[in-house]
Amino acid sequence: MAPLARILAVWLSATLATGTAAAQTPSAPAEARTPLLMPGTTSLWQRVLTRPGAKATAEPGGASAGPEIPALSMLFVYGRAKSGDADWIEIGTTPGGRTLGWIPAAEAIDWKQTMVVLFANPVNRDRALFFKESDPLLTLMESPDAAARAATLRQAAETRALPADSPVTAIEPPSWIDPAKTFYLLPILNWTDGYFASGFSGLALQVAATSLQEKPDQPEPAKPDPEEAAKLLEGYRAGVVFVVDTTISMEPYVARTRATIEALTAKLAASEEGDRVSFGLVGFRDVMPDGSPDGYITKVFATLADGHDRASFLGRLDAASASTADNLDFREDALAGVKSALDDIDWTGVAGRFVVLVSDASPRRASDPYSSTHLDPDQLRLLAQSKGAALMVIHLETPAGKADHAAAEDAYTPMTAYPNIGSLYFPVEGGDVRTFGTVIDRISETILRQMDTAPQAAVVDGSPAAASPAKPAAETSENAFARAGLVGRAMQLAYLGRMEGNQPPRLFSAWVSDRDIANPARKALDVRVLISRNQLSDLQATLKAIIDAGESTRVAPNDFFRQLRSAAATMARRPEGVGGENARRLADLGLIGEYLEGLPYRSRIMELSEDDWLSWSFGQQRQFLDDLEAKVALYRQIYDNTDLWIALDGDRSGGDAVSPIPLDALP
């Protein structure tokens, strides 16, 4: 189960357990009840988050003898009533009709968008500051000296020296928190746009937060002791899976990759870190001119577990050889190889997860009829992040592939982007075998160096001063090697967070920037949207309708919006919301589900207008539809993986189960 899924499992199981304790016989009326709808919507249930101290009663205004409901439990609203001068709400744990009882409305917070945030990995950024009100935060964001002013506030917060009139009420803990070990959630209650003097835009988010484990009088956590961190890091283990193109043009590189792994395993066998790093190898090929596989599309030659017996491991590596036949064209199904490394390799017990792709060709994208994954690089990056893995690409720019170099760079640069650090794309000019050997050796050595120096290094300091910032342009190999080291540092910080069990801040509600105030190019918070299986199925159907409309009007683009109006009427999710002939934006057609409306982030699809569509070239329209096809493929994988779904009613395959979907995955 993914970390965020585990968070929600804890959260929702606590809510369900509370329901049993708070009301010994939850009501389940003969006539199925449903929660109240949000005003102005036809499909969104009213939800609330409980404040600390809330207890359910049998009727409005009644006395409660039940236990306290855990703070920030997500509950559905079934009724609203008055008792005296106080407002009361009837609550339930699921939308299926089972209720817990009544609580005062003052003991709950309306949660309009099912959005939550978690702290991003602290590497390469400052600790986030929480403000009592939005205005001081927005003023700070807009200030030309925001970094210096934030540093002063941060120092006061770290030393517990905040004056009474300080705008800051709390600070992010000093090291990363593993939410799977120490449960916390930061639901978004409100938001407003913010702008930085550097030109970046961001959001000031009002979030609710609490830690059930933390006591109100608990002091500010101290920074981890370096010696203690060193001891913890002795348990840190890393895995490196090489994904190698084994088509006919790759013979010298396959051999060189194999030789590198052999040399590294020999070095490890003679070192104290021999059992802390393991290697694997996945090969991939493509299809022949007749469309049949060239022996295989992907093949796992060596797993991470195979490395326990070096002789057997080397025998498996020897089996990886390049093809002797020409395949269909220059492109390869590289994404299938990477996906195999993520799905078919057992990463259990491995904290540092690296997948290194070696290829001389661009990948087959989602729209390619010979793509076996039907995913685009962006979707594969999201899958890798959900598994805690970093993707690296060594691209051999051989003379034979000159016409393909730009396509490969366009695909692999975003695919290897690691949050707050940058791209791990390594082009090898001319495809020189010796240069390739140097690159692959240095990448491997960079990962190995973590194991040699981690116990002595100041890896517990995630501030920008402790790491070289990522450079967004004019990439050099040295910059990329530095970023590879930073990714290792980020994985160490995540491991330390899991081992140390740090606590989130105890506060009720506060405002925080979604970007690092000192460097807004970096994210401070990781945003997710809770979407049910029914909603994801609805979203798949919606995108498919848009794709079908685009395909059927290729020769008559003026009919595109007419087809969408017809699709909206046919699907009739919200008949009264279907736009008429005057609807000029896709959002106005009533085709997109209400759960995507009103989010504090822009949707490319919902903003699409008829004028935009008609102004695009055929190639731009084609790219738009291809992007939607890739998202549909991603949604299908998420929908089918029951481990990613959290059950409100015990049925993870049911339509009301929810999953936290990354914003990047939404259209």
Side-chain angles (χ1 to χ4, degrees):
M1 189 184 298
L4 274 167
R6 290 197 296 271
I7 302 166
L8 288 168
V10 175
W11 185 30
L12 296 173
S13 64
T15 300
L16 292 171
T18 301
T20 303
Q24 296 299 320
T25 56
S27 61
E31 293 184 9
R33 297 180 63 193
T34 57
L36 301 178
L37 291 168
M38 292 185 187
T41 73
T42 61
S43 61
L44 300 183
W45 308 126
Q46 291 185 28
R47 291 181 174 91
V48 294
L49 301 167
T50 54
R51 299 175 187 258
K55 296 181 179 180
T57 69
E59 58 186 15
S64 173
E68 181 178 322
I69 300 174
L72 295 188
S73 293
M74 185 194 77
L75 300 170
F76 294 86
V77 178
Y78 279 84
R80 293 182 180 270
K82 271 190 175 292
S83 177
D85 295 330
D87 293 321
W88 287 71
I89 56 175
E90 186 182 13
I91 54 172
T93 56
T94 76
R98 297 177 67 85
T99 59
L100 299 180
W102 294 79
I103 62 173
E107 294 181 357
I109 316 164
D110 288 331
W111 192 20
K112 297 179 181 178
Q113 286 101 14
T114 52
M115 298 185 70
V116 298
V117 293
L118 298 173
F119 294 115
N121 191 290
V123 73
N124 223 19
R125 69 171 178 86
D126 287 326
R127 293 168 67 182
L129 294 170
F130 291 83
F131 289 74
K132 299 171 186 175
E133 304 291 342
S134 60
D135 286 346
L137 172 58
L138 293 169
T139 299
L140 177 62
M141 292 167 68
E142 296 168 2
S143 173
D145 61 344
R149 292 177 58 188
T152 300
L153 292 169
R154 188 174 301 106
Q155 183 179 13
E158 289 174 345
T159 57
R160 309 286 284 186
L162 288 170
D165 60 351
S166 173
V168 172
T169 186
I171 186 171
E172 177 186 352
S175 57
W176 189 74
I177 308 160
D178 181 10
K181 185 181 178 80
T182 303
F183 160 65
Y184 79 96
L185 279 175
L186 303 176
I188 297 175
L189 306 178
N190 201 355
W191 62 277
T192 185
D193 291 311
Y195 302 92
F196 294 88
S198 57
F200 278 90
S201 61
L203 288 171
L205 302 172
Q206 185 186 27
V207 298
T210 188
S211 169
L212 302 183
Q213 298 89 347
E214 186 182 6
K215 298 178 181 178
D217 57 353
Q218 183 173 332
E220 163 74 5
K223 285 192 174 183
D225 178 76
E227 292 185 5
E228 181 63 25
K231 292 179 181 178
L232 290 174
L233 283 170
E234 292 176 359
Y236 175 84
R237 285 168 169 73
V240 185
V241 176
F242 291 96
V243 178
V244 182
D245 182 345
T246 56
T247 55
I248 190 170
S249 63
M250 289 290 294
E251 175 55 38
Y253 307 105
V254 173
R256 185 63 179 83
T257 303
R258 194 166 52 229
T260 294
I261 300 176
E262 290 176 2
L264 288 170
T265 55
K267 179 178 179 179
L268 284 173
S271 72
E272 296 180 356
E273 289 77 29
D275 63 343
R276 295 177 57 209
V277 184
S278 50
F279 296 90
L281 180 64
V282 173
F284 70 90
R285 291 184 181 172
D286 205 77
V287 295
M288 304 298 288
D290 64 357
S292 62
D294 182 10
Y296 57 83
I297 297 300
T298 68
K299 183 174 181 179
V300 177
F301 287 96
T303 68
L304 296 177
D306 292 330
H308 295 309
D309 181 343
R310 187 166 183 267
S312 173
F313 180 72
L314 295 180
R316 289 175 176 272
L317 294 186
D318 289 339
S321 59
S323 173
T324 58
D326 289 323
N327 58 3
L328 178 64
D329 53 30
F330 201 81
R331 287 171 297 176
E332 314 291 357
D333 202 359
L335 303 190
V338 175
K339 190 170 184 297
S340 176
L342 295 172
D343 293 345
D344 301 333
I345 297 291
D346 184 1
W347 295 89
T348 303
V350 178
R353 302 179 178 186
F354 302 87
V355 176
V356 183
L357 169 66
V358 180
S359 180
D360 62 351
S362 65
R364 296 196 182 278
R365 291 180 175 265
S367 59
D368 192 308
Y370 293 105
S371 166
S372 62
T373 66
H374 301 293
L375 295 171
D376 267 340
D378 282 339
Q379 282 75 51
L380 197 61
R381 171 179 53 82
L382 291 171
L383 287 178
Q385 289 178 8
S386 73
K387 295 176 180 290
L391 303 182
M392 303 181 183
V393 172
I394 302 176
H395 173 214
L396 304 159
E397 296 182 325
T398 61
K402 184 176 180 180
D404 184 65
H405 292 171
E409 182 176 358
D410 287 346
Y412 295 139
T413 300
M415 187 182 87
T416 58
Y418 197 87
N420 286 350
I421 291 177
S423 177
L424 302 176
Y425 169 66
F426 298 83
V428 178
E429 187 175 357
D432 181 73
V433 175
R434 282 188 291 186
T435 303
F436 162 71
T438 300
V439 171
I440 198 170
D441 287 346
R442 283 198 61 182
I443 289 175
S444 301
E445 289 290 342
T446 297
I447 297 170
L448 288 178
R449 199 155 49 240
Q450 293 179 48
M451 319 312 297
D452 294 333
T453 63
Q456 293 80 32
V459 296
V460 295
D461 184 359
S463 67
S468 302
K471 300 294 192 299
E475 305 295 356
T476 67
S477 292
E478 291 305 317
N479 286 338
F481 289 130
R483 286 196 294 277
L486 282 179
V487 169
R489 184 186 298 269
M491 291 183 176
Q492 289 172 341
L493 288 169
Y495 177 78
L496 283 174
R498 287 193 289 273
M499 296 298 102
E500 290 166 345
N502 293 291
Q503 302 293 322
R506 183 179 182 89
L507 53 100
F508 168 56
S509 95
W511 290 82
V512 62
S513 170
D514 69 339
R515 296 274 171 180
D516 180 16
I517 292 175
N519 188 339
R522 299 168 184 151
K523 293 181 179 180
L525 301 173
D526 192 17
V527 183
R528 295 287 188 268
V529 180
L530 299 185
I531 291 182
S532 71
R533 291 186 101 236
N534 284 340
Q535 289 171 335
L536 190 64
S537 176
D538 175 87
L539 186 55
Q540 288 187 72
T542 296
L543 297 192
K544 191 66 171 64
I546 296 172
I547 294 167
D548 291 344
E551 296 287 2
S552 65
T553 60
R554 290 175 63 182
V555 296
N558 288 326
D559 291 338
F560 178 61
F561 262 68
R562 180 182 58 78
Q563 290 270 26
L564 291 181
R565 292 186 188 98
S566 176
T570 300
M571 297 171 83
R573 293 184 181 84
R574 290 181 288 154
E576 73 289 345
V578 175
E581 292 299 319
N582 294 327
R584 303 295 295 174
R585 295 185 312 142
L586 200 148
D588 300 329
L589 294 175
L591 190 63
I592 300 292
E594 292 176 299
Y595 50 88
L596 290 185
E597 296 176 4
L599 297 181
Y601 293 86
R602 302 292 180 259
S603 166
R604 181 188 178 196
I605 288 182
M606 294 182 70
E607 293 301 315
L608 176 66
S609 71
E610 187 169 10
D611 291 338
D612 291 335
W613 180 258
L614 295 177
S615 70
W616 286 353
S617 66
F618 175 80
Q620 290 173 306
Q621 293 175 353
R622 180 71 267 162
Q623 184 61 54
F624 178 81
L625 297 177
D626 289 347
D627 290 345
L628 297 192
E629 288 273 17
K631 288 188 182 297
V632 169
L634 176 63
Y635 299 157
R636 189 176 301 116
Q637 293 207 18
I638 295 173
Y639 186 90
D640 292 339
N641 188 348
T642 56
D643 287 343
L644 298 178
W645 295 95
I646 308 303
L648 296 169
D649 56 3
D651 181 11
R652 285 197 294 185
S653 63
D656 290 325
V658 296
S659 182
I661 306 296
L663 278 175
D664 291 349
L666 295 176

